[in-house]
């Protein structure tokens, strides 16, 4: 049975994260979406936007904490650099994915990579927050640099296009990113006039973000920058490409636990949030070297 569409989102009005990321939030922009896409908690979309050159080596967002979840950053254009208090750092280039488990807590900075900042140019990125089940919320921080070259490609049937499997499985391909609960991320390039079929686990929450072009799902049209939230009513998704298109598919098993959210912390109880704030203020998230 095919999944039907619950809603098409255009995303919330753009806001700046620090001075380097012009994003539109797709969820949980409104509170009734806090758990609707669980295990995915947040999706900030930064569509292609041209930044002028700058001599600022830290155009972006300065040191800030996270606890209780994972941040996943996908770059499509431009280059994002980061470093964190666990000693990890690197550059996310087009096609790469940074899968950072904040777990018990990290401080990190995210900014335009130096040479990209000094030349300026278009930046196109997605950041997704993936919630952690209670038993992993205080897991040691972990960092997975998933390079484009390590992401398997699957040719979609009917010559509909090509999918990259970042996490989870598609056909025989397994995405390289390890997850703590089922959380699949697949992006695909589709050819105009073709349709791609994806099997989706029954009961998984699922959505499709249009990155380029325009697609139709269950009669609903989404063009670049719009996302489609699917009902949990079937086990197959069909995405029809109206034009050449690129999409990001998210689906995962909902985490059926209480959720408390405060700023950069995502925990199960209010007490755990208070503890996170206290630990952060006491310097327990470590130090961030410049
Ligand atoms: Mn962050």
């Amino acid at each position: 049975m095919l999944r039907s569409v619950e809603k098409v989102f255009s995303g919330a009005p753009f806001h700046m994260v620090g001075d380097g990321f012009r994003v539109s939030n797709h969820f949980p922009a409104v509170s009734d979406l806090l758990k609707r896409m669980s295990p995915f908690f947040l999706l900030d979309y930064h569509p292609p936007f041209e930044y002028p050159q700058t001599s600022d080596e830290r155009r972006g967002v300065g040191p800030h904490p996270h606890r209780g979840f994972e941040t996943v950053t996908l770059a499509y254009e431009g280059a994002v650099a980061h470093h964190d208090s666990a000693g990890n750092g690197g550059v996310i280039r087009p096609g790469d994915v940074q899968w950072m488990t904040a777990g018990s807590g990290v401080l990190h900075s995210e900014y335009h990579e130096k040479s990209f900042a000094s030349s300026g140019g278009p930046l196109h990125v997605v950041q997704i927050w993936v919630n952690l089940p209670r038993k992993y919320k205080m897991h040691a921080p972990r960092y997975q640099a998933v390079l484009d070259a390590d992401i398997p490609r699957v040719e979609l049937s009917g010559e509909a296009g090509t999918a990259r499997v970042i996490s989870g499985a598609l056909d025989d391909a397994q995405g390289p990113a390890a997850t703590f609960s089922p959380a699949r991320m697949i992006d695909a390039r589709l050819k105009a006039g073709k349709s791609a079929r994806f099997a989706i686990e029954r009961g998984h929450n699922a959505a499709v973000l249009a990155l380029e072009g325009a697609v139709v799902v269950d009669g609903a049209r989404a063009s670049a920058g719009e996302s489609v939230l699917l009902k949990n009513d079937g086990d197959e998704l069909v995405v029809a490409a109206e034009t050449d298109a690129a999409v990001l598919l998210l689906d995962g098993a909902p985490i059926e636990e209480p959720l408390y959210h405060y700023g950069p912390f995502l925990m199960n109880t209010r007490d755990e949030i208070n503890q996170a704030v206290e630990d952060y203020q006491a310097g327990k998230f470590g130090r961030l070297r410049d």
Side-chain angles (χ1 to χ4, degrees):
M1 180 182 164
L2 290 184
R3 289 278 183 128
S4 52
V5 168
E6 183 164 314
K7 193 172 179 179
V8 177
F9 290 94
S10 324
F14 284 96
H15 72 279
M16 290 299 293
V17 177
D19 62 359
F21 302 103
R22 178 182 171 273
V23 307
S24 165
N25 181 261
H26 283 241
F27 55 81
V30 289
S31 60
D32 67 349
L33 288 176
L34 280 179
K35 294 175 78 173
R36 179 61 187 84
M37 269 301 289
S38 175
F40 308 101
F41 174 77
L42 170 148
L43 190 158
D44 273 347
Y45 183 49
H46 184 302
F49 181 80
E50 187 91 16
Y51 289 89
Q53 58 182 97
T54 179
S55 55
D56 179 3
E57 294 187 6
R58 287 281 187 277
R59 181 161 64 191
V61 54
H64 59 279
H66 292 296
R67 172 180 282 181
F69 64 102
E70 302 179 288
T71 66
V72 181
T73 307
L74 303 89
Y76 291 98
E77 284 185 274
V80 177
H82 68 98
H83 65 286
D84 69 32
S85 55
N88 295 305
V91 177
I92 314 159
R93 298 188 186 281
D96 297 344
V97 177
Q98 178 213 88
W99 199 297
M100 186 193 79
T101 305
S104 60
V106 296
L107 297 177
H108 75 162
S109 290
E110 301 159 275
Y111 43 92
H112 295 197
E113 183 272 331
K114 189 178 168 186
S115 68
F116 170 66
S118 65
S119 64
L123 184 69
H124 183 193
V125 294
V126 179
Q127 187 168 85
I128 293 161
W129 291 10
V130 182
N131 192 16
L132 288 169
R134 185 194 303 270
K135 63 178 173 180
Y136 298 117
K137 280 197 176 291
M138 295 300 280
H139 192 281
R142 181 170 87 179
Y143 174 74
Q144 302 176 74
V146 180
L147 300 179
D148 182 45
D150 299 328
I151 298 174
R153 264 75 172 166
V154 173
E155 291 303 319
L156 298 166
S157 65
E159 300 189 332
T162 306
R164 297 192 320 150
V165 188
I166 297 160
S167 65
L170 177 64
D171 299 340
D172 296 330
Q174 177 66 46
T179 66
F180 288 90
S181 68
R184 184 165 71 158
M185 284 188 201
I186 291 171
D187 64 13
R189 298 202 150 269
L190 307 176
K191 292 178 191 154
K194 302 282 190 178
S195 290
R197 284 179 173 268
F198 300 93
I200 302 219
E201 199 88 27
R202 219 168 257 282
H204 276 200
N205 291 326
V208 177
L209 171 67
L211 301 166
E212 289 175 34
V215 295
V216 175
V217 179
D218 178 36
R221 186 174 185 276
S223 55
E226 294 182 314
S227 60
V228 180
L229 175 63
L230 298 161
K231 289 184 182 167
N232 293 37
D233 59 355
D235 55 8
E236 199 174 26
L237 165 69
V238 173
V239 182
E242 201 173 271
T243 63
D244 282 349
V247 295
L248 175 64
L249 164 63
L250 305 176
D251 80 87
I255 296 172
E256 307 284 3
E257 294 175 359
L259 188 64
Y260 272 80
H261 170 229
Y262 176 72
F265 308 126
L266 199 52
M267 304 301 290
N268 295 113
T269 69
R270 184 182 297 268
D271 281 352
E272 289 166 353
I273 290 289
N274 292 340
Q275 188 66 51
V277 172
E278 197 175 298
D279 290 350
Y280 171 57
Q281 288 170 346
K284 292 184 182 172
F285 283 55
R287 283 167 165 251
L288 196 61
R289 281 180 300 170
D290 198 36

